């Protein structure tokens, strides 16, 4: 790779993104002084034009892009190829450009989830529960397809969402049972619970955390801890948070974009804490 390269995160809204903090910290630690990482406000409508004009300004070559919502699916038709992992959930959060300008799409959210769980000592589980049914829930099912030996119960608010989760289960090879959100307190007895819902949605469940809980993966990172995560930790359960996912998926992005592995996890985490 040439000495000077650039990368960025795209999305809308994007001002809150912590990706620049993580990637710039990695570049410093790796000695990549000529590398830059920026953020651009880009929505689905503007994305094709952004790609069309990529690199036309004569600046350093593009190494890659990080993609957040709502671009993870919209970017797929603009790429030359995507990995099986990305195809499994129809979501790309990482684009790596080759020297000839070809764009390769990948998904580091799924292996990032698994790495975050491993770091907290969570390996294989007999069964699991997923709270919610959005895009993150499908990534959660993809991760569970690799570590869950039994059934996954998804707690959702509508039959339409339930049908979506069952379809994702069939596609990913996961035995998915769906249950009504009104019974979500039952989920907390599973060995692994993955909460994928927006802030505030699980707050009422904090009072139902069992005396000896298993592991909770709450993908939120602000506000943190969530009431559910705080109650879980207070009862001695293992808790994985959204910042754990954020840093682990970014580690994998850095490795793919720079070709340097392992990426400096500790330095990236320190930068995140000091932001």
């Amino acid at each position: 790779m040439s000495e000077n390269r650039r990368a960025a995160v795209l999305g809308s809204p994007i001002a809150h993104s912590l990706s620049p903090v993580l990637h710039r910290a990695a570049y410093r630690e790796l000695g990549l002084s000529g590398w830059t990482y920026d953020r651009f406000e880009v929505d689905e409508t503007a994305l094709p034009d952004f790609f069309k004009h990529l690199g036309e300004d004569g600046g350093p070559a593009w190494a890659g892009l990080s993609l957040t919502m709502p671009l993870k699916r919209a970017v797929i038709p603009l790429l030359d190829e995507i990995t099986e992992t990305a195809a499994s959930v129809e979501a790309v959060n990482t684009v790596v450009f080759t020297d000839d300008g070809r764009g390769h799409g990948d998904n580091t959210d799924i292996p990032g989830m698994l790495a975050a769980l491993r770091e907290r000592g969570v390996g294989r589980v007999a069964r699991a529960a997923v709270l919610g049914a959005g895009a993150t829930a499908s990534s959660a099912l993809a991760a569970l397809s690799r570590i869950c030996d039994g059934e996954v119960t998804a707690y959702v608010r509508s039959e339409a969402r339930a049908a979506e989760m069952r379809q994702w289960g069939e596609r990913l090879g996961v035995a998915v049972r769906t249950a009504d959100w009104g019974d979500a307190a039952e989920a907390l007895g599973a060995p692994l619970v993955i909460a994928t819902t927006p802030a505030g949605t699980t707050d009422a469940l904090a009072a139902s955390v069992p005396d000896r809980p298993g592991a909770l993966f709450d993908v939120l990172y602000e506000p943190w801890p969530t009431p559910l995560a705080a109650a879980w930790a207070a009862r001695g359960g293992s808790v994985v948070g959204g910042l754990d996912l954020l840093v682990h998926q970014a580690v994998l992005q850095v490795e793919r974009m720079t070709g340097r592995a392992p990426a400096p996890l500790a330095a990236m985490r320190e930068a995140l804490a000091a932001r």
Side-chain angles (χ1 to χ4, degrees), residues 106-172:
D106 199 358
N107 185 306
T108 65
D109 287 329
I110 296 166
M113 283 184 174
L114 294 170
L117 286 165
R118 283 196 303 270
E119 189 177 43
R120 293 292 189 273
V122 181
R124 300 205 68 83
V125 293
R127 59 188 179 89
V130 174
L131 302 176
T136 306
S138 61
S139 292
L141 284 181
L144 288 169
S145 72
R146 306 182 187 187
I147 62 170
C148 185
D149 295 323
E151 188 176 68
V152 176
T153 305
Y155 292 82
V156 298
R157 292 189 180 279
S158 70
E159 178 51 40
R161 288 294 197 179
E164 287 178 13
M165 289 297 281
R166 289 193 294 267
Q167 289 170 4
W168 277 116
E170 290 176 9
R171 177 171 180 166
L172 295 164

Side-chain angles (χ1 to χ4, degrees), residues 2-248:
S2 60
E3 183 179 350
N4 299 323
R5 301 297 295 269
R6 56 180 162 173
V9 59
L10 313 181
S12 183
I14 201 62
H16 69 287
S17 175
L18 296 174
S19 292
V21 173
L22 292 164
H23 285 254
R24 291 169 186 170
Y27 298 166
R28 287 193 298 271
E29 189 71 12
L30 292 170
L32 299 174
S33 58
W35 284 58
T36 61
Y37 189 99
D38 299 300
R39 59 165 70 92
F40 293 96
E41 181 82 19
V42 179
D43 61 15
E44 293 168 289
T45 303
L47 186 62
D49 196 57
F50 185 94
F51 264 72
K52 180 180 179 181
H53 297 292
L54 208 60
E56 289 184 356
D57 60 3
W62 283 90
L65 297 169
S66 307
L67 299 164
T68 185
M69 299 305 292
L71 306 179
K72 294 183 180 183
R73 182 171 294 179
V75 74
I76 293 176
L78 306 176
L79 301 175
D80 295 289
E81 65 178 17
I82 65 173
T83 63
E84 289 184 9
T85 300
S88 71
V89 290
E90 296 180 359
V92 165
N93 78 326
T94 307
V95 176
V96 177
F97 295 107
T98 60
D99 289 338
D100 61 2
R102 292 173 60 83
H104 298 257
D106 199 358
N107 185 306
T108 65
D109 287 329
I110 296 166
M113 283 184 174
L114 294 170
L117 286 165
R118 283 196 303 270
E119 189 177 43
R120 293 292 189 273
V122 181
R124 300 205 68 83
V125 293
R127 59 188 179 89
V130 174
L131 302 176
T136 306
S138 61
S139 292
L141 284 181
L144 288 169
S145 72
R146 306 182 187 187
I147 62 170
C148 185
D149 295 323
E151 188 176 68
V152 176
T153 305
Y155 292 82
V156 298
R157 292 189 180 279
S158 70
E159 178 51 40
R161 288 294 197 179
E164 287 178 13
M165 289 297 281
R166 289 193 294 267
Q167 289 170 4
W168 277 116
E170 290 176 9
R171 177 171 180 166
L172 295 164
V174 181
V176 174
R177 179 179 74 87
T178 55
D180 186 82
W181 183 261
D183 298 321
E186 296 175 358
L188 308 188
L192 172 60
V193 180
I194 303 181
T196 70
T197 52
T201 307
T202 64
D203 291 0
L205 298 176
S208 300
V209 175
D211 291 335
R212 299 180 65 182
L216 170 70
F217 194 156
D218 194 327
V219 302
L220 292 172
Y221 60 82
E222 194 168 309
W224 187 262
T226 63
L228 178 60
W232 202 276
R235 287 167 175 76
S238 179
V239 176
V240 184
L243 286 180
D244 297 306
L245 171 59
L246 187 67
V247 71
H248 277 287

